[in-house]
Amino acid sequence: MKTTLFLSPPSFDGFDGGAGARYQAKREITSFWYPTWLAQPAALVPGSRLVDAPPHDQNVDDVLKIAKDYELIIMHTSTPSLKNDVKCAEAIKAQNSSVKIGFVGAHVAVLPEETLRENQVIDFVCRNEFDYTCKELAEGKNWEEITGLSYRDHLGHIRHNEERALIHDWDAMPSVFPVYARDLDISKYFIGYLQHPYISFYTGRGCPAKCTFCLWPQTIGGHLYRHKSPDAVGREMAEAKELFGDKVREYMFDDDTFTIDKHRAIAISKHLKKLNITWSCNARANLDYDTLKVLRDNGLRLLLVGFESGNQAILNNIKKGIKLETAREFMKNCHKLGITVHGTFIIGLPIETKETVEETIRFACELSPHTIQVSIAAPYPGTELYEQAQANGWFSSNSLVATSGIQTSTLQYSNLSSAEIEDAVEKMYRKFYFRPKAIIPIVREMITDRQMLVRRLREGGEFFSYLKERRTQAKSKQTAVV
């Protein structure tokens, strides 16, 4: 077994590039997801180590001190962070020319040839679901025999092995919790709408929905939801309780759509109630009242829901598969049951106008989830949105993030410029949060929970600093154009 390091490399200050989020960019407030995409293969490789540099404030020098002891280094990358990640790989290679360095992630899964051709420092990339590909690399299996692998051979030629089949036996996948407990400081991970400390993880992969912008199902996970059985999840959560005790205040099931199988979700929730676990999950805005009630009664606190837009034509264009009226009924039920909702919205989807932006802002205020996230449409390679943008000439630039790490708009339409899309993000945040209906629940949280008081004050300062930095970035772009 080769000594193996799984690395989420250092990046922009506040940049969550190595996590499972779809929008890898500097966040409005300090936010870090767990590096589940690396933790899962790390759990398959005995003696390996996982380093998640960004939340642990580790720089390249820190990484170099660790990397010198390893023969095999596997790094998670993304489209906006690739250049930065390559620089880290070059520093590692300069220190030890014999180390083998490979990249994993959606970007390299879609563009293995280009990635290897343009970056000589990378020895291989793992395509599709790469967990067992990483395991076989660590075991020293001949590269030409490893499915799902693209690599540079000893003559410098780029080779692409046959595809690896998707993982179907998820009950056989080891838990990531021992890796978290061994290698990560859980106090370093913050998500604004989750209790702290929290833990996020997957119980399966794949999503039946066909949203044109969504990264993981179109690049790695596929559209078939493959998952662990309720009993296997129950055993895993019991293990988590043994490892972390009462230190963890909330567990987040980060499966793309954890609730797509209502009966499975309910069966898992019954295990969680026995363990007295507070939990949250991703959900679509179409769960019925009875299901919501059962989940709430079994410990559900919060749902993370992608509403995306307040315009039905845009939702139809992106194949969201949700009607606005269905979302309204869903939110009505959540409010009635006392289930907290964090709603996510996207500005700049095909084909946004000033009028549809206003519709989305009004819709968000009408639904009034507890908190929101407003993202700019991100056309990642491998998604249908990317292909549409290329075919229709919607690209305004090829940079998903500025040098500061703040997300920028790479799209523009005949009636809406990229600058107007970026401006709409701040406008939506201000219109949503500067309402009594949004402010009062947050103030109530702060009054009743001292930890939340400290967090919200910090997050408020970060939020206004973020908006200021975004405005500065916009002015710089305008000056450059002039």
Side-chain angles (χ1 to χ4, degrees):
M1 186 69 68
K2 295 185 180 297
T3 53
T4 305
L5 175 66
F6 292 92
L7 173 64
S8 179
S11 193
F12 309 105
D13 180 32
F15 187 90
D16 192 17
R22 293 180 181 85
Y23 299 98
Q24 294 106 330
K26 185 174 180 178
R27 305 307 176 93
E28 298 86 343
I29 59 175
T30 299
S31 300
F32 288 109
W33 288 98
Y34 282 77
T36 313
W37 288 101
L38 285 177
Q40 192 63 73
L44 287 165
V45 178
S48 64
R49 178 174 175 181
L50 171 61
V51 170
D52 191 14
H56 293 83
D57 299 314
Q58 292 168 300
N59 58 31
V60 173
D61 288 338
D62 297 323
V63 168
L64 288 174
K65 292 174 185 176
I66 298 169
K68 62 182 176 60
D69 297 324
Y70 291 89
E71 303 168 88
L72 177 67
I73 297 177
I74 297 173
M75 297 172 60
H76 187 280
T77 192
S78 63
T79 300
S81 68
L82 178 64
K83 289 183 180 179
N84 182 79
D85 300 337
V86 166
K87 288 179 182 178
C88 182
E90 288 171 343
I92 294 171
K93 202 82 157 181
Q95 174 181 259
N96 178 9
S97 59
S98 65
V99 67
K100 296 299 182 183
I101 299 178
F103 278 32
V104 299
H107 182 92
V108 299
V110 173
L111 301 172
E113 176 78 24
E114 294 88 335
T115 302
L116 288 168
R117 187 174 64 245
E118 295 170 7
N119 302 284
Q120 292 295 313
V121 70
I122 303 174
D123 297 302
F124 63 87
V125 302
C126 303
R127 309 188 309 273
N128 305 106
E129 279 191 317
F130 48 78
D131 309 85
Y132 286 101
T133 305
C134 294
K135 180 176 183 288
E136 291 174 7
L137 284 161
E139 290 170 340
K141 190 173 181 178
N142 290 332
W143 286 14
E144 60 269 22
E145 299 174 4
I146 300 176
T147 57
L149 188 71
S150 294
Y151 63 98
R152 188 177 289 102
D153 66 19
H154 67 285
L155 296 175
H157 301 142
I158 295 173
R159 308 291 184 187
H160 303 286
N161 295 346
E162 66 180 87
E163 298 294 340
R164 179 174 291 273
L166 291 175
I167 299 165
H168 289 276
D169 184 7
W170 269 82
D171 280 6
M173 291 289 274
S175 170
V176 297
F177 293 139
V179 176
Y180 286 1
R182 182 192 68 202
D183 292 338
L184 306 178
D185 179 354
I186 66 170
S187 70
K188 300 288 188 181
Y189 293 86
F190 290 89
I191 295 293
Y193 48 86
L194 297 179
Q195 296 180 354
H196 180 76
Y198 85 98
I199 280 180
S200 63
F201 64 109
Y202 295 100
T203 65
R205 291 198 196 117
C207 178
K210 301 294 176 64
C211 303
T212 60
F213 62 87
C214 194
L215 182 62
W216 305 115
Q218 297 184 80
T219 57
I220 293 180
H223 291 291
L224 176 65
Y225 184 32
R226 300 150 291 114
H227 51 71
K228 295 184 178 183
S229 66
D231 287 343
V233 177
R235 290 191 296 271
E236 198 165 309
M237 297 312 297
E239 179 184 29
K241 288 286 282 189
E242 290 179 9
L243 285 169
F244 302 106
D246 295 328
K247 288 189 295 183
V248 177
R249 295 184 64 189
E250 181 166 23
Y251 288 86
M252 172 69 185
F253 291 87
D254 204 22
D255 304 40
D256 282 312
T257 312
F258 180 76
T259 59
I260 200 75
D261 183 341
K262 295 188 294 185
H263 300 294
R264 174 179 179 266
I266 289 171
I268 290 172
S269 75
K270 292 177 179 178
H271 285 285
L272 302 175
K273 184 174 183 179
K274 291 176 185 176
L275 294 166
N276 194 30
I277 283 175
T278 298
W279 60 282
S280 299
C281 68
N282 289 312
R284 285 171 66 79
N286 59 359
L287 277 181
D288 60 273
Y289 179 89
D290 291 338
T291 301
L292 288 168
K293 186 177 184 300
V294 173
L295 297 179
R296 182 208 64 180
D297 292 345
N298 287 327
L300 172 68
R301 186 190 71 85
L302 175 143
L303 293 174
L304 172 54
V305 182
F307 297 105
E308 323 310 359
S309 175
N311 178 272
Q312 189 64 56
I314 286 180
L315 292 180
N316 295 343
N317 286 340
I318 64 172
K319 303 178 182 178
K320 184 66 183 177
I322 294 287
K323 299 293 184 183
L324 294 176
E325 284 307 314
T326 303
R328 289 186 174 100
E329 181 67 19
F330 166 84
M331 275 304 303
K332 178 183 174 182
N333 290 333
C334 287
H335 285 309
K336 189 183 298 184
L337 290 165
I339 297 172
T340 302
V341 173
H342 175 73
T344 64
F345 297 85
I346 303 174
I347 302 294
L349 291 166
I351 50 175
E352 193 87 80
T353 65
K354 292 178 182 178
E355 290 73 26
T356 61
V357 168
E358 291 297 330
E359 287 182 65
T360 297
I361 294 172
R362 288 195 299 270
F363 184 59
C365 293
E366 175 194 345
L367 295 181
S368 201
H370 186 57
T371 50
I372 64 170
Q373 175 183 319
V374 187
S375 299
I376 295 171
Y380 283 94
T383 65
E384 186 175 344
L385 177 58
Y386 182 86
E387 294 172 0
Q388 289 174 328
Q390 281 191 315
N392 291 281
W394 291 336
F395 278 109
S396 61
S397 72
N398 59 4
S399 178
L400 286 166
V401 294
T403 54
S404 63
I406 289 180
Q407 189 184 14
T408 61
S409 177
T410 61
L411 300 179
Q412 62 182 2
Y413 305 107
S414 58
N415 294 317
L416 197 69
S417 69
S418 57
E420 288 171 323
I421 290 172
E422 292 170 9
D423 290 343
V425 172
E426 179 176 346
K427 181 179 181 181
M428 183 165 177
Y429 273 129
R430 289 186 179 277
K431 286 203 170 185
F432 181 87
Y433 280 115
F434 293 174
R435 302 173 301 131
K437 197 171 182 179
I439 293 172
I440 290 171
I442 292 174
V443 171
R444 190 180 296 126
E445 257 187 342
M446 294 165 67
I447 292 172
T448 57
D449 186 335
R450 177 166 176 75
Q451 187 202 67
M452 192 59 72
L453 170 65
V454 174
R455 281 184 66 186
R456 292 301 185 217
L457 290 174
R458 171 182 58 78
E459 290 168 354
E462 292 175 345
F463 178 70
F464 285 109
S465 295
Y466 171 87
L467 293 182
K468 182 180 179 181
E469 191 171 358
R470 180 173 278 288
R471 285 195 298 272
T472 300
Q473 175 183 300
K475 288 179 181 177
S476 298
K477 288 175 69 174
Q478 290 172 358
T479 302
V481 171
V482 173

